[in-house]
Amino acid sequence: NGSRIAAKIPDDAKLQPGSLKVQVVTVVSMEAVEGGLKDRGTLKSCQRSLHSNLGLLQLTPAISSVEPTQGSSADLMTITGSRLYREGGTTYVLIGDAAIEVKPPPDGDSWKPPEPSSIQIPLSKFVETLPVPLPTGVEFPVRVQVNGVQNKGLGFTFKLMS
């Protein structure tokens, strides 16, 4: 019918990665009969809420860059993108089959605290998961998982050099 629906999301309720329930609720004007047991009743206007079925939406994190793309256990990996971290949530950087949890750095460490658009992990955490001898020269896919949902698409890799 050409109606436009707009909704503003408050800053404190921004959408975050994970499973989200979605439901459409519309309010319509209706007519009803009031009374009517002993007479014909009276016509009155009222409003009713109509609810759609529930839908499920998966909101995913997005990676825009991974640095470095090759290096050693002494390096820090920086991943930039959107919806990568939220305090109170759970974020993992997946390199190959290794899952490294993203946490704020301990006191005295030089890497920066995680933010929604940028996270860092020490690659030493990745190397600790590898068998000996280390598989140098192999490219491992890099992904991010936030609140149980991984970024879509591959294309980012890391090659261990030493």
Side-chain angles (χ1 to χ4, degrees):
N1 66 11
S3 298
R4 181 173 176 205
I5 299 172
K8 178 159 174 46
I9 300 170
D11 288 341
D12 61 345
K14 294 225 183 239
L15 298 175
Q16 296 299 315
S19 300
L20 305 169
K21 292 181 200 173
V22 179
Q23 184 175 41
V24 176
V25 178
T26 57
V27 178
V28 295
S29 294
M30 303 180 87
E31 291 182 343
V33 175
E34 190 175 78
L37 291 177
K38 294 185 181 181
D39 57 20
R40 301 186 83 183
T42 56
L43 190 61
K44 77 173 210 173
S45 290
C46 62
Q47 291 190 331
R48 299 273 190 235
S49 296
L50 304 175
H51 299 255
S52 73
N53 292 339
L54 282 176
L56 187 64
L57 173 75
Q58 289 283 340
L59 189 60
T60 61
I63 297 175
S64 57
S65 70
V66 173
E67 293 293 330
T69 56
Q70 61 183 19
S72 72
S73 64
D75 294 324
L76 285 174
M77 177 178 280
T78 302
I79 299 174
T80 58
S82 60
R83 296 182 299 273
L84 298 176
Y85 180 82
R86 182 174 184 176
E87 193 172 328
T90 305
T91 298
Y92 290 97
V93 172
L94 307 169
I95 305 174
D97 292 333
I100 299 100
E101 187 171 3
V102 176
K103 295 182 177 185
D107 289 338
D109 279 347
S110 61
W111 40 294
K112 63 182 186 176
E115 300 174 352
S117 61
S118 177
I119 54 178
Q120 284 188 327
I121 59 160
L123 287 169
S124 60
K125 297 284 186 188
F126 165 60
V127 173
E128 290 171 3
T129 68
L130 297 175
V132 177
L134 293 177
T136 57
V138 176
E139 284 193 347
F140 297 92
V142 176
R143 302 165 321 278
V144 174
Q145 179 177 306
V146 181
N147 298 331
V149 180
Q150 284 187 35
N151 64 292
K152 292 184 138 222
L154 298 175
F156 295 98
T157 59
F158 174 74
K159 185 186 293 186
L160 183 63
M161 299 308 288
S162 59

